[in-house]
Amino acid sequence: MRRRIVVLSVFAAVLATSLFGIPLAYGVAQYFLGDERAEAERAADTVAIAVAADVLRGRPPTDLPGTDGDITVGLYATDGARLAGVGPARADAVVRHAGNGRVASADDTSGQLVVAVPVTDGAEVTGIVRAASDYSSVRTRIATAWALMLGLGALAVSVTWLLARRQARRLALPLESLAATAHRLGDGDFSVRTGTSGIPEIDEAGRALDTTAHRLGALVDRERSFSADASHQLRTPLTGLRLGLETALEQPAVGQRAAMLAAIESADQLERTIEDLLSLARDAGPRGALLPVADVVAEVATAWRPVLAGQGRSLDVTVEEELPTGRASAAAVRQVIGVLLDNAVDHGAGTVTLAVRDAGGVLAIDVADEGAGPPDPDLLFHRRAEGARGHGIGLSLARSLAEADGGRLLLSRLRPPVFTLLVPAGAEES
């Protein structure tokens, strides 16, 4: 790319210089020839005026007036004989052409520039004055001017070459950097960012590439987070489904229907969990929609009572009357409560309490148990490695889901532990 820019710039400079310089060189040559021709004509006119009277009386002078420079002058009769001065013995073509009463000239006659001026008496030509200068001096002046012009043209092309190299480097470096960034992005490095070059078009392309890298990175992070979250959130429904199927196998034929219905309910919960996670991962669910929190709590409690009953534990649900309507995503609230109940099942003890109350402008959902509480409350909501023991991915996911909906999740009491989900309340839409 750099070489192409330099070559095209130099070619353009040469073409422009040639289109301007060639006519100018021709004009310069014509100027010098015309100037020399005018000098010779002035010298011939001076001599013609000086000898006109003598030629008219038939007494041609033997010596002609002197001229400046290297111009030689000769006087010729109308029959072509040289009467005085310097020149060919017989009239040449230029002198013969001047015999018709008009000035004649030739740029290169035997290495000379020649001008012939008629000597007249009224309308009659009585003689011809021939002035000649060395043509080599004119050629030297023309060549000197052409050499100067050629030098200036070469200087212009050289400056163009230097500027083209600088501009090519200025254009190529950010484009090469942009290409390297694109290659790194293609290799999976979504942290790459382009720098600024000061060229608006390239910077705009860089900003578009940065936006693409950011979006791709966020998409990959979201997919990875979804995989981890899904594996965590699907564990309990899968366990319930397995227990239901195992119970159905152990029951006699008359009792299998209830066990199968419980397994189907676990399968429905599993399907709902998958739909919730996909909706949250894609930001496809309604954000800030009005939500009857009491209905969601009742739905989650129905799904979790059999799980706690399998451990010989109970789930108590308390919902205040005349609660305001919440404003949150049903999927997010359902998953957050599920995480808190799962945490109470795995790490808590005794009866689990699920309470919904009006906390003054917000809805508070409390999940409590009779256990000893977390050993490290400062790290409670930090996401840990997938194989780490204790509190980890679930509570971190729950807090992120709560905050994404404008709510909060906190440990409101350490021992016995009480987790509180705060959900924004909204007025009923008319």
Side-chain angles (χ1 to χ4, degrees):
M1 176 182 175
R2 299 190 190 189
R3 182 177 181 182
R4 183 180 301 177
I5 294 176
V6 172
V7 170
L8 289 177
S9 300
V10 171
F11 175 76
V14 171
L15 180 62
T17 303
S18 300
L19 292 176
F20 177 75
I22 291 176
L24 182 61
Y26 176 78
V28 168
Q30 293 301 314
Y31 170 79
F32 283 129
L33 287 173
D35 183 65
E36 190 70 15
R37 191 182 301 115
E39 288 291 333
E41 186 175 348
R42 282 195 294 271
D45 284 337
T46 301
V47 172
I49 293 172
V51 302
D54 292 336
V55 172
L56 181 62
R57 296 186 184 94
R59 301 192 307 270
T62 57
D63 193 16
L64 299 178
T67 58
D68 297 332
D70 56 354
I71 298 176
T72 60
V73 180
L75 176 63
Y76 290 82
T78 55
D79 60 1
R82 187 181 67 188
L83 302 178
V86 179
R90 297 294 302 175
D92 54 15
V94 180
V95 174
R96 289 195 299 270
H97 288 163
N100 59 8
R102 291 181 295 180
V103 176
S105 64
D107 291 340
D108 191 359
T109 301
S110 300
Q112 290 183 320
L113 188 148
V114 179
V115 176
V117 175
V119 180
T120 60
D121 178 23
E124 180 182 0
V125 177
T126 58
I128 298 113
V129 177
R130 179 184 185 274
S133 66
D134 189 2
Y135 191 73
S136 61
S137 63
V138 181
R139 284 198 299 265
T140 300
R141 294 169 64 188
I142 293 174
T144 302
W146 282 2
L148 180 60
M149 293 173 60
L150 184 62
L152 292 175
L155 178 61
V157 172
S158 300
V159 171
T160 302
W161 176 73
L162 292 174
L163 293 177
R165 286 191 60 188
R166 180 181 178 184
Q167 188 67 13
R169 184 175 181 272
R170 182 170 179 260
L171 289 174
L173 283 179
L175 288 177
E176 291 169 359
S177 176
L178 201 62
T181 301
H183 283 301
R184 290 177 59 189
L185 179 60
D187 291 337
D189 183 2
F190 303 117
S191 65
V192 295
R193 294 295 182 269
T194 58
T196 57
S197 63
I199 303 174
E201 293 79 5
I202 297 179
D203 290 342
E204 182 63 27
R207 284 191 291 270
L209 188 62
D210 291 344
T211 301
T212 301
H214 175 73
R215 290 179 177 176
L216 287 177
L219 178 62
V220 171
D221 290 342
R222 184 175 296 175
E223 292 298 329
R224 290 172 180 169
S225 177
F226 170 75
S227 300
D229 297 342
S231 64
H232 180 275
Q233 294 299 95
L234 296 180
R235 181 184 60 195
T236 299
L238 285 173
T239 301
L241 179 59
R242 181 182 181 86
L243 289 174
L245 294 175
E246 290 176 350
T247 302
L249 290 176
E250 295 174 356
Q251 293 288 335
V254 294
Q256 286 185 351
R257 177 176 175 78
M260 293 299 293
L261 289 176
I264 292 174
E265 186 176 349
S266 296
D268 292 339
Q269 182 186 357
L270 177 62
E271 182 180 2
R272 185 165 54 250
T273 300
I274 294 174
E275 291 175 354
D276 288 346
L277 290 175
L278 287 174
S279 175
L280 294 170
R282 296 170 180 171
D283 288 332
R287 297 286 179 173
L290 293 177
L291 174 70
V293 177
D295 295 344
V296 176
V297 169
E299 177 186 344
V300 176
T302 301
W304 279 87
R305 277 198 176 93
V307 178
L308 286 164
Q311 296 185 355
R313 299 167 63 185
S314 61
L315 174 62
D316 293 340
V317 179
T318 304
V319 180
E320 289 185 359
E321 296 182 358
E322 298 182 359
L323 286 174
T325 303
R327 188 176 290 276
S329 165
V333 172
R334 192 160 43 232
Q335 293 303 313
V336 172
I337 297 175
V339 168
L340 297 178
L341 291 175
D342 181 64
N343 184 70
V345 170
D346 288 345
H347 307 291
T351 301
V352 178
T353 303
L354 178 57
V356 184
R357 55 188 172 85
D358 186 353
V362 296
L363 289 176
I365 303 174
D366 298 321
V367 177
D369 63 74
E370 299 173 354
D376 48 359
D378 292 337
L379 302 177
L380 190 61
F381 295 101
H382 290 191
R383 181 181 288 263
R384 300 185 184 179
E386 190 173 346
R389 297 177 59 85
H391 306 276
I393 186 172
L395 291 175
S396 173
L397 168 64
R399 170 166 280 187
S400 65
L401 292 178
E403 292 176 350
D405 258 5
R408 290 184 59 195
L409 176 62
L410 49 90
L411 179 64
S412 55
R413 190 176 67 196
L414 182 58
R415 291 183 181 87
V418 177
F419 289 90
T420 300
L421 170 62
L422 299 177
V423 177
E428 293 286 351
E429 295 180 348
S430 56

